[in-house]
Amino acid sequence: VPFYTNVLGLGLDPRRAHNVFQKKEDKTFWVNCGPSQFHLPHGDVPQVIPGSIGLMYEDMNSLIERLEKYKGEYEFYDYEVMDDEGRCVKILDG
């Protein structure tokens, strides 16, 4: 969940925020991205979504700053800027 909220800048949905503090194994988190949501199950085996997901940001510089800031905390990702104007950033499975 911290990757989605801290790095990607998505919001934790308050209807499932209480799950952050629960000790049970079968909890699900919801993070909001504009009018859409990611439903993130918690468990020992990570959920892998094949393919790619596109997100639009009003300020790409803020996203790039967060990617740099948290890069050492989340070793499972890397990123690359896809064009000279910084309008497209690809986050890679590290």
Side-chain angles (χ1 to χ4, degrees), residues 3-74:
F3 175 79
Y4 290 87
T5 56
N6 295 343
V7 179
L8 296 181
L10 307 180
L12 185 61
D13 191 298
R15 294 173 291 177
R16 291 289 183 174
H18 64 279
N19 281 346
V20 172
F21 305 106
Q22 290 183 349
K23 300 290 184 200
K24 66 181 187 172
E25 295 294 321
D26 60 342
K27 54 188 171 183
T28 302
F29 304 103
W30 297 351
V31 290
N32 297 328
C33 177
S36 300
Q37 289 182 325
F38 290 103
H39 293 188
L40 308 170
H42 178 272
D44 293 334
V45 179
Q47 180 185 29
V48 178
I49 300 171
S52 60
I53 298 170
L55 301 174
M56 293 182 66
Y57 290 86
E58 288 183 24
D59 184 1
M60 292 298 285
N61 291 328
S62 294
L63 172 63
I64 293 169
E65 288 172 9
R66 288 192 306 273
L67 287 166
E68 277 299 312
K69 177 180 178 180
Y70 291 106
K71 191 171 183 178
E73 291 183 39
Y74 305 99

